[in-house]
């Protein structure tokens, strides 16, 4: 088999982007982004317990950013602030009764 024959058999392979896209449709999405609850706030304060309770479930777990709508940097700040507030006793580690 010559190189031209090998090349022609691999060029017209069954794998193409069009076929793959039909099998695995992309994430269409609704077209509307979640509003950022922190807005343009530059920092998150660990002493603001009412704000931090918005990012914690009733069991005491942090809510992921895909649900809350904050940016990655703000999510890191929220996580750090929640941990500091727990350490100082402003927020519980666990919900009462669990």
């Amino acid at each position: 088999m010559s190189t031209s024959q090998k090349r022609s058999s691999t060029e017209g392979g069954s794998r193409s982007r069009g076929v793959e896209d039909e099998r695995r449709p992309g994430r269409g999405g609704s077209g509307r982004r979640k509003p950022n609850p922190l807005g343009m706030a530059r920092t998150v304060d660990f002493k603001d317990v009412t704000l931090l309770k918005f990012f914690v479930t009733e069991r005491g777990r942090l809510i992921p950013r895909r649900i809350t709508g904050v940016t990655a940097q703000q999510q890191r700040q929220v996580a750090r602030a929640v941990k500091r507030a727990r350490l100082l006793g402003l927020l519980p580690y666990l919900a009462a009764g669990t």
Side-chain angles (χ1 to χ4, degrees), residues 10-47:
T10 57
E11 284 177 356
S14 62
R15 291 186 181 181
S16 67
R17 283 282 184 210
V19 175
E20 190 173 334
D21 289 341
E22 290 174 9
R23 284 184 282 157
R24 285 189 336 195
R27 296 179 359 179
S30 63
R32 182 153 195 262
R33 297 188 70 165
K34 285 183 178 262
N36 192 339
L38 294 177
M40 295 303 292
R42 300 299 278 168
T43 60
V44 179
D45 191 16
F46 67 92
K47 294 174 274 188

Side-chain angles (χ1 to χ4, degrees), residues 70-97:
V70 296
T71 63
Q73 181 181 8
Q74 289 171 335
Q75 179 70 18
R76 288 191 294 268
Q77 290 177 355
V78 166
R80 194 174 302 124
V82 166
K83 291 174 187 177
R84 287 180 181 165
R86 285 175 177 165
L87 185 66
L88 292 175
L90 302 175
L91 283 177
Y93 281 98
L94 295 175

